[in-house]
């Protein structure tokens, strides 16, 4: 399995638009077990995206899906900062962090 957590800081006043774009594109993604978009309680411009996939290959392949490819350039215009907080691969009874 593969998971990641990303902190996105939206351009001022664009958080809701960004959430709509991300959640709208995150439909029918093969290998995706969970895709959660959450609003930060302390910062009105921050959202957190937590993803769990069956493999890193499935995650990487999702970036080529039409809905995702369409959302990427629209989302970039609404993102002020992108911080990958963590990535992790799990497999065969062991866990390892990827930096």
């Amino acid at each position: 399995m593969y998971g990641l957590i990303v902190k996105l800081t939206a351009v001022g006043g664009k958080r809701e638009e960004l959430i709509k774009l991300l959640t709208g594109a995150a439909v029918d993604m093969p290998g995706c077990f969970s895709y959660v978009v959450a609003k930060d309680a302390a910062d009105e411009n921050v959202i957190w995206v937590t993803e769990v996939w069956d493999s890193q290959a499935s995650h990487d392949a999702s970036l080529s899906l039409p809905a995702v490819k369409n959302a990427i350039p629209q989302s970039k215009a609404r993102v002020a900062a992108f911080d990958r907080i963590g990535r992790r691969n799990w497999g065969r009874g062991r866990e390892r962090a990827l930096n």
Side-chain angles (χ1 to χ4, degrees), residues 4-53:
L4 64 138
I5 300 170
V6 175
K7 176 184 176 186
L8 295 169
T9 304
V11 171
K14 299 292 184 184
R15 182 168 77 171
E16 293 302 321
E17 291 178 26
L18 184 56
I19 289 170
K20 282 184 181 181
L21 283 167
L22 294 173
T23 57
V27 178
D28 297 324
M29 296 190 301
C32 183
F33 295 132
S34 178
Y35 186 91
V36 178
V37 178
K39 296 177 184 177
D40 189 278
D43 187 328
E44 66 184 22
N45 293 315
V46 171
I47 62 173
W48 294 88
V49 179
T50 305
E51 303 177 43
V52 179
W53 295 82

Side-chain angles (χ1 to χ4, degrees), residues 62-76:
S62 75
L63 301 175
S64 296
L65 295 170
V68 175
K69 283 177 68 173
N70 184 47
I72 289 172
Q74 294 179 58
S75 297
K76 283 183 178 180

